[in-house]
């Protein structure tokens, strides 16, 4: 186990001739469009990363894995690798059917010969595999189970036709056999692997370097770039950071390779799974911390698994996993000695410095200093580029309120004021204008209003993500739809909801467009506030009522709010 195994591992790819023939046949097979997670799983099935699996799991393997962490033949395997499909697709599929598996662009990657079809007990799967709080969709894998995964699982062996295409960092992506061959060529007999889904800072560099030195082994930084925890730093930024840190290691004994794994955040079970995957990639040692691959906080704000010990489960199965566990030492910076040391080896009375993940994010957000003892300047530069201070990030101002409440007028005034300040491009998505250009075929039913608002939200989120300011001014009468837009936008910047709370009596008294009269006369149906609902926002960032204040004043209140949130700097 402590000597690397350089023998090639079985892959599921068929010969190029067989692939060409299967591709022709596949045109007549039922075809399944893989989800992003399934595409990641398929890649590792095909290239041997999930060896000994030869396809998506059968029902017997699945039951064994969920209940005992073992395949039906007794082999240790902690994670269900299943092909979930919709009930509709499953209707026509029986054991014996071959199905074509396609990526998101429709390219046929593999053919699966279905042997099993069953309806899983998702609740049980969530409980057994992902632990406490089986219905809590704050856990990314439980969320996938309940909100993305189809209700039927199909299992069967897979024949690989083609590897999924990656356009980014191609030189850094390696299959298990490529790594085995490389280790053989370099004469690397011991390889310590470090798994991560975060940028590397000095503490990680110290810990990995130390781990490799203690094991007298070479080191492979093996970050996950498939799917990690929602909210993580994107892999493009991370890989640029890893490449920068690579220079800080001895070149002859350290390498970096990217793993296109879809993580599940399953703590101890995940650690064991990662170990098996790394064994397949030619590792002899694997760095594991007590809280390896943790899912973080549940929807009550409490840690999902509480304090847990992934090392314990790993150690118990070390022989079967086939790689040796190396302790993830918690490294801290000792100011007096100006160096990193393992926290459990430090005597009392010295000054220990540390910056938590939350504190790092705050400093990045607010453009504050990040000291050199904490991270490398190259890494900090990349992170700052990815997460500029708030006053340089994009954001959306979303006005909502009744027809005639003053949304468009304030929005226009705000746009002009922001343009006067300069610095960021501003786009106005006014209700009437959007309905002319983006939503001209839509009416005012609940369904159509929702489509209209989601379109506005999508455009606003794109503008926000790219550093611009989007000002939206639709009625947007439904709370749930406004929440959906908020979520979309917040993935790329701030969302500022302004309720223009001018009472209906005042809106009707003004009746600028004469619409209230028409609505009262029954000439316009489903008119908001008269014959259609308006659900008031419960906690908008700001509420303004234009009954008693003028437009300029209202727009200025919005500016003050933006300033308070750190989104603009008033001169
Ligand atoms: S929604 O509910 O957010 O999709 O509405 P929105 O896109 O903002 O469009 C509202 C403008 O359309 C005019 N209008 C109506 N409003 C409400 N209900 C009905 N039935 C209706 N029919 C036409 C009205 O001029 C709204 O403009 P504003 O600027 O809000 O006065």
């Amino acid at each position: 186990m402590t000597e690397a195994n350089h023998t090639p591992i079985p892959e599921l790819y068929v010969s190029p001739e067989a692939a060409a023939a299967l591709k022709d046949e596949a045109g007549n097979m039922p075809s399944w469009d893989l989800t992003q997670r399934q595409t990641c799983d398929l890649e590792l099935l095909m290239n041997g990363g999930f060896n000994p699996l030869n396809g998506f799991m059968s029902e017997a393997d699945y039951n064994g894995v969920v209940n005992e962490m073992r395949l039906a033949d007794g082999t240790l395997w902690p994670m269900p690798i299943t092909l979930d499909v919709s009930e509709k697709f499953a209707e026509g599929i029986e054991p014996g059917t071959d199905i074509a598996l396609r990526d998101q662009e429709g390219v046929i990657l593999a053919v699966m010969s279905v042997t099993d079809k069953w309806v899983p007990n998702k609740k049980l799967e969530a409980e057994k595999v992902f632990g406490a709080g089986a219905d809590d969709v704050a856990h990314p894998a439980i969320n996938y189970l309940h909100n993305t995964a189809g209700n039927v699982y199909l299992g069967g062996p897979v024949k690989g036709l083609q590897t999924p295409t990656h356009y980014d960092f191609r030189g850094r992506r390696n299959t298990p056999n490529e790594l085995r061959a490389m280790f053989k060529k370099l004469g690397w007999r011991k390889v310590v692997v470090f798994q991560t889904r975060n940028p590397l800072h000095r503490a990680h560099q110290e810990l990995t370097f130390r781990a490799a030195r203690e094991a007298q082994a070479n080191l492979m930084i093996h970050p996950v770039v498939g799917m990690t925890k929602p909210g993580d730093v994107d892999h493009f930024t991370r890989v640029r950071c890893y490449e920068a840190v690579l220079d800080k290691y001895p070149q002859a004994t350290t390498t970096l390779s990217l793993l296109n794994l879809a993580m599940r955040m399953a703590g101890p079970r995940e650690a064991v799974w990662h170990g098996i995957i790394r064994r397949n990639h030619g590792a002899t040692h694997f760095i594991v911390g007590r809280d390896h691959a943790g899912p973080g906080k549940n929807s009550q704000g409490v840690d999902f698994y509480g304090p847990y010990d992934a090392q314990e489960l790993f150690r118990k199965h070390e022989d079967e996993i086939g790689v040796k566990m190396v302790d993830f030492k918690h490294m801290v910076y000792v100011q007096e000695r100006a160096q990193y040391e393992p926290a459990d080896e430090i005597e009392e009375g010295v000054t220990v410095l540390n910056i938590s993940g939350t504190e790092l994010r705050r400093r990045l957000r607010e453009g504050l200093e990040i000291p050199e003892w904490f991270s490398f300047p190259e890494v900090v530069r990349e992170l700052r580029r990815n997460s500029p201070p708030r006053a340089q990030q994009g954001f959306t101002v979303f006005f909502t309120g009744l027809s005639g409440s003053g949304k468009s007028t304030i929005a226009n005034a705000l746009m002009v004021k922001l343009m006067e300040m300069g610095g960021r491009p501003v786009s106005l998505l006014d209700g009437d204008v959007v309905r002319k250009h983006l939503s001209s075929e839509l009416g005012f039913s609940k369904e159509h209003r929702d489509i209209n608002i989601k379109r506005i939200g999508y455009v606003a989120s794109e503008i926000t993500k790219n550093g611009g300011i989007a000002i939206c001014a639709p009625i947007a009468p439904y709370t749930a739809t406004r929440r959906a837009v908020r979520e979309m936008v917040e993935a790329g910047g701030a969302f500022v909801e302004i309720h223009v709370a001018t009472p209906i009596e005042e809106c009707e008294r003004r009746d600028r467009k004469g619409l209230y009269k028409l609505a009262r006369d029954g000439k316009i149906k489903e008119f908001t506030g008269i014959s259609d609902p308006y659900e008031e926002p419960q906690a908008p960032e700001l509420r303004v009522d234009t009954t008693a204040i003028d437009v300029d004043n209202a727009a200025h209140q919005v500016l003050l709010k933006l300033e308070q949130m750190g989104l603009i700097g008033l001169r």
Side-chain angles (χ1 to χ4, degrees), residues 395-400 407 427-439 442 448-464 470-477 481-482 484-486 488-489 495:
F395 63 89
T396 290
V397 182
F398 191 93
F399 291 95
T400 165
K407 303 179 300 285
S427 303
L428 178 60
L429 298 163
D430 187 38
D432 278 335
V433 180
V434 167
R435 280 193 172 265
K436 198 183 283 165
H437 296 291
L438 265 185
S439 296
L442 298 180
H448 276 194
R449 286 181 198 259
D450 282 353
I451 298 174
N452 180 40
I453 299 306
K454 284 187 182 158
R455 283 182 192 166
I456 295 175
Y458 173 73
V459 177
S461 69
E462 286 292 310
I463 293 171
T464 302
I471 305 176
C472 314
I475 296 179
T481 326
R482 291 192 300 259
V485 171
R486 179 185 286 272
M488 245 191 278
V489 170
F495 182 80

Side-chain angles (χ1 to χ4, degrees), residues 401-404 407-408 430-432 435 444 448-449 452-453 456 473-477 513 515 524-528:
L402 297 169
S403 172
K407 303 179 300 285
S408 308
D430 187 38
D432 278 335
R435 280 193 172 265
F444 289 88
H448 276 194
R449 286 181 198 259
N452 180 40
I453 299 306
I456 295 175
I475 296 179
K513 300 179 186 165
L515 295 174
I524 304 182
K525 304 265 174 289
E526 301 176 312
F527 193 81
T528 308

Side-chain angles (χ1 to χ4, degrees), residues 133 135-143 229-230 295-301 304:
D135 290 325
D136 194 336
V137 292
H139 191 301
I142 296 177
N143 188 31
K229 215 173 125 191
K297 303 217 180 302
N298 66 16
S299 45
Q300 266 74 56
F304 255 102

Side-chain angles (χ1 to χ4, degrees), residues 32-105:
W32 176 251
D33 295 333
L34 298 160
T35 62
Q36 194 193 350
R37 187 172 105 173
Q38 291 168 346
T39 312
C40 290
D41 285 356
L42 179 64
E43 179 172 347
L44 285 165
L45 281 170
M46 294 194 295
N47 71 19
F50 285 171
N51 184 63
L53 304 188
N54 68 350
F56 286 99
M57 281 179 180
S58 67
E59 186 175 3
D61 281 342
Y62 169 77
N63 286 333
V65 166
V66 168
N67 293 306
E68 321 280 346
M69 281 197 2
R70 290 188 183 277
L71 302 171
D73 69 3
T75 309
L76 180 76
W77 188 276
M79 198 58 66
I81 306 297
T82 48
L83 187 72
D84 61 87
V85 299
S86 64
E87 281 157 6
K88 192 160 174 295
F89 179 78
E91 262 169 31
I93 311 293
E94 291 310 325
T97 316
D98 282 350
I99 58 173
L101 303 180
R102 295 175 188 263
D103 71 8
Q104 281 162 6
E105 284 164 22

Side-chain angles (χ1 to χ4, degrees), residues 185-233:
K185 190 168 175 185
L186 296 175
W188 285 17
R189 292 146 67 96
K190 281 185 180 180
V191 183
V192 175
V193 163
F194 181 61
Q195 124 91 33
T196 183
R197 41 170 266 268
N198 288 311
L200 295 186
H201 301 296
R202 278 186 198 273
H204 305 106
Q205 197 270 344
E206 290 285 341
L207 125 84
T208 49
F209 180 66
R210 203 175 253 264
R213 199 178 49 197
E214 276 171 20
Q216 291 184 313
N218 302 283
L219 175 67
M220 177 162 75
I221 314 286
H222 205 200
V224 172
V225 295
M227 291 170 76
T228 62
K229 215 173 125 191
D232 281 349
V233 175

